[in-house]
Amino acid sequence: MPLILPPHVDEKTFQKALDAFAGVVGRQWVLATDEDRYTYMDIYAPGDAETHTPGAAVGPASAEEVQAIVRLANEYKVPLWPISRGKNLGYGAAAPVMPGTIVLDLGRMKKIIDVDERYGYCVLEPGVGFFDLFAHLQENKIPLWMSVPANAWGSVVGNALERGYGYTPYGENTRNICGMEIVLPTGDMVRTGTGAMSNSPNWHLFKYGFGPSWDQVFAQSNFGVVTKMGMWLMPEPEATLGLRMQLPNPDDVGWAIDELQPLRLNGVLQQNPSIGNSLRVVASQTPRSQWYQGDGALPDDVLRTILDEYHLGWWGIDLRLYGYDEVNEAHAKIIKAAFAKHTQQEFEVVKWHRGDPIQNSGAGVPATNALQIINWRGGRGGHVGFSPVLPANSEHVLRQFHSTKKRYEEIGVDYYGSFTLFDRYAINVNMMVYDRDDHALTKKVRDLFKVLVADAAKEGYSEYRTHISFMDDVALSFDYNNHAMRRLNETVKDALDPNGVLAPGKQGIWPKTYRGSRA
Ligand code: ADP
């Protein structure tokens, strides 16, 4: 990909900045050829990858090198986009919001600094992948479990910073963050919580410190580069008990949420179950052309034939209880009784005991097969996810489900959705799968996305996370008091980052230097 410079930077200054970076990390870790730039583009982009083309990438090996690069970025006034592993697939992968931004690739910093069995935490550098941490825990027989997202190709740190989630009782990944080391946009370094004391034994035990608590200020933000993260891990339970069921009708998701939410809130259910439409299962295993060659979205009768052939319902639900055998059995009884009010079906029961193979346990076991869904449309596949947060009840869930499905059908895209239930809210991930080279289809997807953001904003729903192409749209929907939140974010941004060097435009937060680039 040919060089696109960041705004206000001439080629000579840009080159000088790269030379200065090479002085810190070595020439081989400054990646600035056309091929390098191509490598850091959004590999799943919905037809608009060039609008986020990076100018180059630089790969430091330590926090000190990160500090040096950030200081040089201030000197030359070039923007940086930090990534941990850059596998933020469906949300922009490694690519920056603003074209020309230099990717600060922290993938070489991949030390597992500490794992503490007694207190259940680990301390990680940003490049540690879910597979790396899993292998470390397994090889060292450490009885701590991770929370992993459906696609676990990325890093533990990047995913927690983006508020990714998994399905164990520790499933809200951002909530497990406890104590970080951060390089600020000026190159200064801070440690959050009690890490701000130089000798505290509590850095990864007690989140708050003294005064304002900063960990979450650096999640989904462009206020700093995280170079170390403390993260709580779950003690391995004695046993788990899984309850699986196929729900035959589209509206069954409503009563299922109504029954499960109080049980999730009162702790009978401790994890975040995902209720996903079963087409996703089929789409990960077969191409669409095997079932349907017509125009428009997959018709309901074709879908029914497919689901019947695979013995699937409209939705699949997979619950998991963790703890002591007797307690799990008692909780399972309560859940079964709640479901018996609506269906004659029995749950399929899956049991696991300590010592059994971990694969079937309900632990976070990293996998990437969820990504196979992108082959559904043929060609070079890709996906984006539209993911609003809703109150966890049938009224909101069914209204949102029907209106989203209708929008998909209007535009001729197949509906894939899931509702993941948390204690008080549900996250509704709606995937849009496409062949990236089908420009008519990717254009439809981009249009659909904008319509969905606008529909959701009318209901007062925000997204829990979004793709780099839509960050301004989502940020704009936070409109209370004439966008007071944007004023707050940008006041802090300008104070911390006077030259606007860190991730301009991330989450719709623009430093004053680049505010004109807002979409
Ligand atoms: P993954 O873990 O999936 O590989 P990425 O590395 O792509 O995740 O990170 C996703 C996004 O999170 C990045 O685009 C960036 O905005 C933010 N991010 C990731 N790592 C860091 C970090 N160490 N410091 C600050 N922001 C980060």
Side-chain angles (χ1 to χ4, degrees), residues 69-82 101-102 184-187 222 493 496-504 511 513-514:
I69 289 167
V70 170
R71 287 193 176 117
L72 289 167
N74 277 282
E75 195 178 320
Y76 292 97
K77 302 204 171 28
V78 291
L80 300 170
W81 179 267
T101 305
I102 300 169
L184 294 174
T186 52
N222 51 10
K493 179 68 179 164
L496 293 179
D497 190 1
N499 293 316
V501 296
L502 215 62
T513 341
Y514 298 114

Side-chain angles (χ1 to χ4, degrees), residues 239-397:
T240 69
L241 191 161
L243 296 171
R244 291 185 187 148
M245 191 182 278
Q246 292 290 317
L247 303 175
N249 307 306
D251 281 2
D252 290 340
V253 64
W255 64 253
I257 294 271
D258 281 342
E259 291 297 343
L260 288 173
Q261 186 275 326
L263 301 178
R264 178 70 184 85
L265 190 62
N266 72 13
V268 164
L269 186 65
Q270 297 167 343
Q271 51 95 222
N272 320 310
S274 170
I275 307 179
N277 76 326
S278 302
L279 177 61
R280 296 196 312 170
V281 180
V282 182
S284 323
Q285 295 173 19
T286 58
R288 182 182 204 257
S289 53
Q290 180 177 326
W291 306 100
Y292 186 64
Q293 273 104 33
D295 288 334
L298 199 71
D300 283 344
D301 57 323
V302 178
L303 175 62
R304 185 53 73 187
T305 313
I306 301 175
L307 296 179
D308 287 349
E309 193 162 323
Y310 277 76
H311 305 291
L312 291 168
W314 220 91
W315 304 97
I317 183 165
D318 191 353
L319 310 171
R320 187 72 66 153
L321 301 164
Y322 298 76
Y324 297 97
D325 233 352
E326 294 85 345
V327 181
N328 291 343
E329 291 287 353
H331 285 165
K333 225 166 129 184
I334 295 169
I335 294 171
K336 285 177 186 171
F339 271 58
K341 290 188 254 165
H342 304 272
T343 174
Q344 310 269 322
Q345 271 190 87
E346 301 269 324
F347 278 108
E348 180 197 346
V349 178
V350 188
K351 287 192 175 184
W352 176 90
H353 291 95
R354 194 176 284 163
D356 293 347
I358 194 163
Q359 268 61 28
N360 225 5
S361 63
V365 178
T368 53
N369 44 349
L371 284 178
Q372 285 169 10
I373 197 170
I374 63 157
N375 295 329
W376 175 243
R377 300 287 313 212
R380 297 191 307 152
H383 72 78
V384 286
F386 170 72
S387 321
V389 178
L390 324 171
N393 68 54
S394 55
E395 191 195 327
H396 285 274
V397 162

Side-chain angles (χ1 to χ4, degrees), residues 392-461:
N393 68 54
S394 55
E395 191 195 327
H396 285 274
V397 162
L398 288 179
R399 193 171 61 227
Q400 182 64 13
F401 162 57
H402 286 296
S403 82
T404 308
K405 186 165 177 291
K406 189 158 158 275
R407 291 294 196 195
Y408 270 65
E409 284 161 2
E410 279 166 9
I411 223 144
V413 177
D414 303 333
Y415 176 80
Y416 309 84
S418 66
F419 291 87
T420 301
L421 172 69
F422 294 81
D423 38 12
R424 293 170 173 83
Y425 63 94
I427 295 183
N428 171 216
V429 177
N430 301 283
M431 298 260 272
M432 294 154 219
V433 178
Y434 38 82
D435 167 358
R436 280 180 285 148
D437 298 314
D438 181 340
H439 299 298
L441 183 60
T442 53
K443 161 100 178 47
K444 278 187 198 173
V445 164
R446 292 201 302 280
D447 293 346
L448 171 61
F449 205 106
K450 294 215 176 221
V451 169
L452 291 174
V453 173
D455 283 353
K458 275 189 217 132
E459 300 292 336
Y461 306 146

